[in-house]
Amino acid sequence: MNTALDDGSLRQLFSGARTYNGFIDKPVADDQLQAIWDLAKWGPTAMNGLPMRLLFVKSAAAKEKLRPALAEGNLAKTLAAPATVIVATDFEFYGRLPRLFPAFAGARDLFAGNGALAEATASRNATLQGGYLILAIRAVGLDAGPMSGFDNAKVDAAFFAGTKVRSNFLVNVGYGDAGKVHPRGPRPDFSEDCRIL
Amino acid sequence: MNTALDDGSLRQLFSGARTYNGFIDKPVADDQLQAIWDLAKWGPTAMNGLPMRLLFVKSAAAKEKLRPALAEGNLAKTLAAPATVIVATDFEFYGRLPRLFPAFAGARDLFAGNGALAEATASRNATLQGGYLILAIRAVGLDAGPMSGFDNAKVDAAFFAGTKVRSNFLVNVGYGDAGKVHPRGPRPDFSEDCRIL
């Protein structure tokens, strides 16, 4: 049986973590990005479908490819971030189910024959994985700056043309600059957003 | 600057965590459910919109209300779980933005005037919060059994009639019975699902 994580870990993941709009001048190594995946990949998805795909945009050339899609308010901070993750969804995730979920032989056909179910399942589970990703970034000791302020169609055309992969959101990654956070927004009490029945 | 969490914490959250299909006979106290929310609420959402709503179904009467919506394979384990969380989405989340995101006075009207944007933002961010929730359950020392196998429309009619709140997925919560897990599904390598550009 587990017990609660120590207070420092809970602060790092949740109560003390912030969305960073800038990072100190310290690079993020490729093996740190791999470590993030090697945690996030364990998060649960329906039928182990794992529909999330990640592009870690680090090079100047790849940042330039991303630039035209960025909202003006997100431009400078994203170009300056050590890495920007394009969090995306593979809407043909079900093609891998014979390998990823061998317990149910009919899994692939279930989704292949039901576009609405495939789309809802891909969206829900890739976004759940996006939540695991943000916390995995924090768990390895890095900081995250997630964003929705960009042109999804432009990202898709630049990075995912000819595939069924579509962008979901972006996350800047690095060592957060404590001077580059906005005032923290209030959170509702338990009784406002939750009920026990 | 943070460092990585210790190995035990990483195992508890990610690499050693499992989806539980049964729980030992040990209740979950209401203050543990509140502790879960008091962590998960800190996860980032667009414009601090916090669209997720949670119903913690604990009582026999509330479990009976949930019963007709459950897929057969999820029925017994859900009725037996110490608590079942109905993870839901408030598609009118934007009504609270003047309070939750005072920095942008036009936030509410932006969504009120654009139904597609409001729906996409509610879905994406409530589901991200669902990811934070699953990891918060593990962080407080409990175990999670998330599920999509239920009739969303029946849950919505039984629990959310007359509102703009709609069910997203379910999570059984308790102290996991190690004998009630399926064999673990394989996870793709970094190079299969991720690229560094």
Side-chain angles (χ1 to χ4, degrees):
Chain A
M1 201 183 304
N2 290 320
T3 55
L5 302 190
D6 65 272
D7 286 348
S9 297
L10 296 176
R11 273 196 301 276
Q12 180 169 331
L13 291 169
F14 296 106
S15 56
R18 301 299 313 278
T19 288
Y20 284 89
N21 295 298
F23 300 90
I24 65 172
D25 185 21
K26 181 174 161 71
V28 173
D30 289 357
D31 63 1
Q32 291 176 285
L33 304 180
Q34 177 139 0
I36 292 167
W37 170 253
D38 283 336
L39 293 174
K41 70 181 180 185
W42 293 115
T45 53
M47 297 192 199
N48 198 39
L50 294 149
M52 182 176 74
R53 301 292 178 270
L54 301 178
L55 294 182
F56 292 96
V57 176
K58 284 183 76 180
S59 69
K63 285 284 184 79
E64 282 305 310
K65 204 168 155 186
L66 183 57
R67 176 199 286 267
L70 296 169
E72 194 183 326
N74 291 329
L75 189 59
K77 68 182 181 186
T78 301
L79 295 178
T84 302
V85 194
I86 302 176
V87 183
T89 307
D90 185 350
F91 286 92
E92 284 185 342
F93 72 96
Y94 48 82
R96 301 197 299 188
L97 290 178
R99 173 163 53 102
L100 297 182
F101 197 62
F104 175 30
R108 177 170 52 189
D109 291 347
L110 175 71
F111 293 105
N114 187 336
L117 180 66
E119 186 175 327
T121 303
S123 292
R124 177 183 298 115
N125 288 281
T127 305
L128 282 175
Q129 288 186 277
Y132 311 146
L133 172 76
I134 290 169
L135 295 185
I137 290 167
R138 295 171 173 176
V140 302
L142 289 164
D143 295 300
M147 299 170 282
S148 290
F150 68 99
D151 184 324
N152 290 69
K154 282 186 183 170
V155 167
D156 296 344
F159 292 94
F160 303 118
T163 75
K164 292 296 175 67
V165 179
R166 296 291 175 263
S167 57
N168 188 359
F169 63 97
L170 305 178
V171 191
N172 287 330
V173 178
Y175 293 92
D177 179 342
K180 292 186 175 161
V181 293
H182 297 308
R184 197 169 205 181
R187 299 306 200 266
D189 290 338
F190 181 85
S191 62
E192 183 174 342
D193 285 3
C194 310
R195 271 191 302 152
I196 298 174
L197 301 178
Chain B
M1 201 182 305
N2 290 320
T3 55
L5 302 190
D6 66 89
D7 286 347
S9 297
L10 296 177
R11 273 195 302 275
Q12 181 169 331
L13 292 168
F14 296 106
S15 55
R18 301 298 314 276
T19 288
Y20 284 89
N21 294 298
F23 300 91
I24 65 172
D25 186 19
K26 181 175 162 71
V28 172
D30 290 358
D31 62 2
Q32 292 175 284
L33 303 180
Q34 177 140 359
I36 292 167
W37 170 252
D38 284 335
L39 293 174
K41 71 181 180 184
W42 294 115
T45 53
M47 296 191 200
N48 198 37
L50 293 149
M52 182 176 74
R53 301 293 178 267
L54 301 178
L55 294 182
F56 292 95
V57 176
K58 284 183 77 179
S59 69
K63 284 283 184 79
E64 283 304 310
K65 205 168 155 186
L66 182 58
R67 175 200 285 268
L70 296 170
E72 195 183 325
N74 291 328
L75 189 60
K77 68 182 181 185
T78 302
L79 295 177
T84 302
V85 194
I86 302 175
V87 182
T89 306
D90 185 350
F91 286 93
E92 284 185 340
F93 72 97
Y94 49 83
R96 301 197 299 187
L97 290 178
R99 172 163 55 98
L100 297 182
F101 197 63
F104 175 31
R108 177 169 52 189
D109 292 348
L110 175 71
F111 293 105
N114 186 338
L117 179 67
E119 187 176 326
T121 303
S123 292
R124 177 182 298 115
N125 288 281
T127 304
L128 282 174
Q129 287 187 276
Y132 311 147
L133 172 76
I134 290 170
L135 294 184
I137 289 167
R138 295 171 174 177
V140 303
L142 289 164
D143 294 300
M147 298 169 282
S148 291
F150 68 100
D151 184 324
N152 290 69
K154 283 186 182 169
V155 168
D156 297 345
F159 293 94
F160 302 119
T163 75
K164 293 294 176 68
V165 179
R166 296 290 174 263
S167 56
N168 189 0
F169 63 98
L170 305 177
V171 191
N172 287 330
V173 178
Y175 293 92
D177 179 342
K180 292 186 177 162
V181 294
H182 297 309
R184 196 168 206 183
R187 299 306 200 266
D189 290 339
F190 181 85
S191 62
E192 184 172 342
D193 285 3
C194 310
R195 273 192 301 153
I196 300 175
L197 301 178

